Amino acid sequence: APAAPPAVAVRRPLLVAVAGPDALQISAMSVPLARARGGDVHVVHVVEEDVTAGEDAVELETSAAARALLEQSVAELRASGMAVRGELLHTVGNHADVAAGILKRASELQAGAIVIGPDAHHGRLLSPVAAVIAEHARAHVIVLHPEAGPLGSSQPRLAA
């Protein structure tokens, strides 16, 4: 019987979710991951609307600020040499809805990995987004922390 053709590895996209003051640093820290994985990179930024007591939705960030953050994050990731697209997602509700939006988009894209930063503060709320994503994702979840420094070996190797 003839040998089966070798399996072709399908490169599933890398989804990078950005938010808050660390968004550009998380994007820059994601570049080595994008290079190592190959394939497309999809950057998402969730525009949150909080529901107030009167049931009115209030944007926690202006549309212009959200678009600017997304465009800057996409530009940072273009340094990876991979194809990079950006997308704004909109949610109304709480931070669990933010996590659900990211998870839904990752599923639709069949992302192989999701990169997120540590939970960010938005006004009076502390976000458990990273924990929810890590618990429910059907992809690898990589939490990058800006204070940890760049990925990879940044210290000289010791002589054997």
Side-chain angles (χ1 to χ4, degrees):
V8 176
V10 175
R11 292 202 170 137
R12 294 170 50 192
L14 175 68
L15 185 138
V16 179
V18 296
D22 296 325
L24 295 181
Q25 193 168 357
I26 296 301
S27 299
M29 291 173 72
S30 298
V31 169
L33 291 170
R35 283 186 182 133
R37 289 184 53 79
D40 293 346
V41 179
H42 197 90
V43 181
V44 297
H45 175 56
V46 179
V47 179
E48 297 178 72
E49 293 183 13
D50 194 13
V51 178
T52 62
E55 307 221 1
D56 291 327
V58 177
E59 271 190 347
L60 298 178
E61 171 181 40
T62 67
S63 295
R67 173 64 55 198
L69 182 106
L70 179 67
E71 289 172 1
Q72 291 169 339
S73 295
V74 166
E76 279 290 334
L77 272 150
R78 287 221 165 99
S80 69
M82 301 298 117
V84 181
R85 291 174 304 187
E87 176 181 16
L88 291 176
L89 303 177
H90 295 269
T91 65
V92 176
N94 59 33
H95 292 297
D97 297 314
V98 171
I102 293 168
L103 288 166
K104 179 180 179 206
R105 193 65 184 118
S107 177
E108 291 167 351
L109 293 168
Q110 297 181 339
I114 301 168
V115 174
I116 53 178
D119 293 338
H121 292 273
H122 284 286
R124 65 192 186 285
L125 302 172
L126 176 62
S127 168
V129 172
V132 173
I133 290 173
E135 182 178 350
H136 297 287
R138 297 291 177 247
H140 298 290
V141 177
I142 303 159
V143 180
L144 297 177
H145 200 294
E147 293 176 16
L151 289 173
S153 177
S154 60
Q155 298 188 14
R157 293 180 183 228
L158 299 175

